[in-house]
Amino acid sequence: MQSTEPSSDGHAEVRIVAASPEVARRVAEILRHCFAATEQRSYPAGPDGGTRLDLTVDTTRAAEPARSWLETSRAVEDSRRRR
């Protein structure tokens, strides 16, 4: 059963759907280089094949280059709120 509850503050649920397990794992590995993440959970993507990986990333424990990107995006978001 899939949860519709939002992740705790600073965490994001990520779903990767790819034609092959290898492609999905490569994307998950890139995310793990940028953020602290849980172990991935793998599922079939559908009747036509493919793979779905689910993981949770902790945006409060970001590594470079994600940290720089998050800080920049927060500054843009804050300026939009002030308008």
Side-chain angles (χ1 to χ4, degrees):
M1 176 162 213
Q2 191 175 27
S3 172
T4 57
E5 295 292 317
S7 298
S8 62
D9 195 32
H11 290 78
E13 298 294 324
V14 178
R15 175 173 288 166
I16 302 163
V17 179
S20 73
E22 182 57 34
V23 171
R25 280 192 292 269
R26 279 189 263 160
V27 173
E29 187 63 29
I30 291 167
L31 287 172
R32 277 196 220 78
H33 282 294
C34 295
F35 299 100
T38 61
E39 189 62 33
Q40 65 199 30
R41 297 161 313 274
S42 179
Y43 306 94
D48 297 329
T51 298
R52 184 183 97 205
L53 293 181
D54 295 341
L55 65 150
T56 303
V57 296
D58 181 352
T59 63
T60 64
R61 294 179 40 207
E64 290 295 337
R67 182 177 298 130
S68 300
W69 179 84
L70 284 169
E71 289 168 0
T72 303
S73 66
R74 285 182 188 134
V76 170
E77 185 178 310
D78 288 344
S79 68
R80 287 181 183 161
R81 288 182 187 164
R82 292 180 191 151
R83 291 182 188 176

